[in-house]
Amino acid sequence: YNVIIFGGIMRIAHISDLHLGKSLHNFSLIEDQEFILDQIVKNCAEKKVDVLLVAGDIYDKNVASEAGIKVLRKFLNQLVEAKIKVLLISGNHDSAERLTFGGEFMTEKGIYFSKVYDGVIEPVIFQDEFGPVNFYLLPFVKPSTVQHFFADEKIESYDDGIRCAIKHMNVNTSERNIIIAHQNILNAERCESEENIIGGLDAVSAKVFEDFDYTALGHIHKPQIICNDVVFCGTPLKYSTSELKHEKSMPVITLGEKGKKDYEFIPLKPLRDLRQITGTYDEIKRMAKSDPNNKEDFIDVILTNENDVLDAISTLREDYPNIIKLTYDN
């Protein structure tokens, strides 16, 4: 790729796991996703972000919904208009072939898609006042995918596969290097809304990324820094009740010379939050009258009545129309 030069220091932002087209208990989230992506574009412009990294699971399903495609197209158009470069990789929910179709024609607009993995990953190189920054776009891969291109390598696990893929990138460690990847990491804190492989067999060690100055990860929905600049930014929205306590944000990293960088985490505020309300039926009805929060929020109701309340979910929806489920704790 041609080197693109920025005038001063370089500032990058990191998002992942958009899951465009996803529903929450049969409630469409398209409006919420469009709202949060508009917010991300606004935040990137305000923070003077040069490069936005999107670390996989762009869509929720292998075959993307029409509504999801429209939202992504609008999002990318906004970023192009704002003159923000965009680097995207495919995740385990995406079809690498479908997501990257036509990607080679978008590079002149500043949009770079990971290609379908073929054993060769050339960096996208941007340059600022401190020199080049090499961005490596590694799509979600399984060990068998990597083994296919490196028959002489011993690849028996996800860790082996990622280690092999990185070895063959021939990273120049004297320069600043950033990788975008979509993998599970050992000891990462997970939640119910992710695809889980029994026993964590899909997990890789954070040490495989030690040659990189920043590792922009997708796949895990909770924001967390693993170690040594290996970062899960998390989802921009809460996608299950297991994410109720997550504080969603977007990392913005200001790059200095080799070995130096500053972090800022920009809070993301949803159109409709996901909340949990606990109490008896009568308590919740009373609570609703003075609830200062958005009545359009998605609500997980836990009733503490000793006996089932007839038609409780329907009557409670008079106050909270977007109740996603109702359970009893008695």
Side-chain angles (χ1 to χ4, degrees):
Y1 292 107
N2 292 331
V3 173
I4 295 177
I5 298 176
F6 298 107
I9 59 174
M10 193 184 306
R11 189 167 285 132
I12 62 176
H14 169 199
I15 62 173
S16 76
D17 296 85
L18 309 182
H19 289 281
L20 297 178
K22 185 176 179 61
S23 294
L24 182 63
H25 289 264
N26 297 319
F27 287 93
S28 172
L29 292 174
I30 279 292
E31 186 180 357
D32 304 80
Q33 291 172 329
E34 188 171 11
F35 178 89
I36 209 72
L37 291 182
D38 287 346
Q39 190 179 133
I40 286 168
V41 173
K42 181 181 177 183
N43 287 338
C44 285
E46 288 177 353
K47 294 296 178 180
K48 295 182 170 51
V49 166
D50 300 297
V51 184
L52 177 64
L53 314 179
V54 189
D57 280 359
I58 313 298
Y59 295 118
D60 190 52
K61 288 186 168 57
N62 199 277
V63 179
S65 68
E66 183 179 337
I69 292 170
K70 286 181 178 178
V71 169
L72 180 63
R73 183 171 61 194
K74 177 190 171 188
F75 180 52
L76 294 179
N77 280 336
Q78 288 175 315
L79 292 165
V80 168
E81 288 173 5
K83 295 182 169 52
I84 296 167
K85 307 301 179 190
V86 193
L87 279 59
L88 309 94
I89 66 168
S90 55
N92 58 301
H93 278 250
D94 300 308
S95 161
E97 290 83 359
R98 292 188 180 97
L99 181 67
T100 59
F101 173 77
E104 63 268 30
F105 303 113
M106 299 188 197
T107 55
E108 62 186 48
K109 293 288 187 182
I111 300 171
Y112 300 81
F113 282 95
S114 62
K115 60 181 178 177
V116 177
Y117 186 76
D118 62 1
V120 179
I121 295 182
E122 297 288 342
V124 177
I125 305 171
F126 298 150
Q127 188 156 318
D128 64 9
E129 65 179 61
F130 297 110
V133 181
N134 307 308
F135 292 86
Y136 291 86
L137 281 62
L138 176 64
F140 172 75
V141 289
K142 296 179 178 180
S144 57
T145 309
V146 182
Q147 183 77 80
H148 178 75
F149 297 101
F150 301 104
D152 295 336
E153 299 273 4
K154 185 179 180 181
I155 299 175
E156 298 177 341
S157 66
Y158 275 79
D159 195 82
D160 292 341
I162 301 302
R163 201 177 293 276
C164 176
I166 289 172
K167 182 177 80 170
H168 288 276
M169 292 178 189
N170 299 314
V171 176
N172 180 354
T173 54
S174 68
E175 296 180 343
R176 293 170 296 166
N177 300 289
I178 292 173
I179 188 169
I180 316 168
H182 191 93
Q183 304 289 159
N184 181 21
I185 301 294
L186 286 169
N187 302 320
E189 191 175 336
R190 309 193 65 169
C191 58
E192 292 173 3
S193 45
E194 300 143 7
E195 280 189 5
N196 290 307
I197 293 182
I198 294 172
L201 296 177
D202 60 336
V204 305
S205 166
K207 289 182 180 178
V208 303
F209 300 111
E210 61 189 0
D211 287 342
F212 298 95
D213 298 87
Y214 183 78
T215 298
L217 288 172
H219 188 53
I220 303 298
H221 287 200
K222 182 178 180 179
Q224 54 197 290
I225 299 175
I226 303 300
C227 66
N228 301 327
D229 302 307
V230 177
V231 178
F232 285 107
C233 62
T235 53
L237 294 170
K238 298 174 185 176
Y239 285 139
S240 79
T241 52
S242 65
E243 300 179 46
L244 276 167
K245 295 181 179 179
H246 291 187
E247 297 291 336
K248 302 300 185 180
S249 63
M250 177 179 71
V252 174
I253 304 96
T254 302
L255 297 178
E257 57 190 339
K258 177 78 175 178
K260 295 184 179 179
K261 66 186 75 65
D262 292 318
Y263 286 88
E264 184 178 2
F265 293 87
I266 311 302
L268 296 176
K269 302 300 181 185
L271 177 65
R272 297 176 287 188
D273 201 0
L274 174 58
R275 297 191 280 135
Q276 192 172 74
I277 295 176
T278 303
T280 65
Y281 175 86
D282 291 336
E283 286 170 344
I284 291 175
K285 290 293 280 187
R286 283 196 301 271
M287 193 188 310
K289 293 175 182 177
S290 58
D291 190 337
N293 296 300
N294 185 359
K295 294 292 184 70
E296 297 296 318
D297 284 348
F298 298 108
I299 306 295
D300 176 36
V301 174
I302 300 177
L303 286 183
T304 57
N305 296 73
E306 285 301 317
N307 299 306
D308 287 2
V309 178
L310 182 65
D311 209 21
I313 195 165
S314 297
T315 52
L316 286 173
R317 277 183 174 151
E318 294 170 3
D319 300 295
Y320 296 108
N322 296 329
I323 293 176
I324 57 169
K325 65 184 176 74
L326 183 150
T327 54
Y328 283 86
D329 179 13
N330 49 15

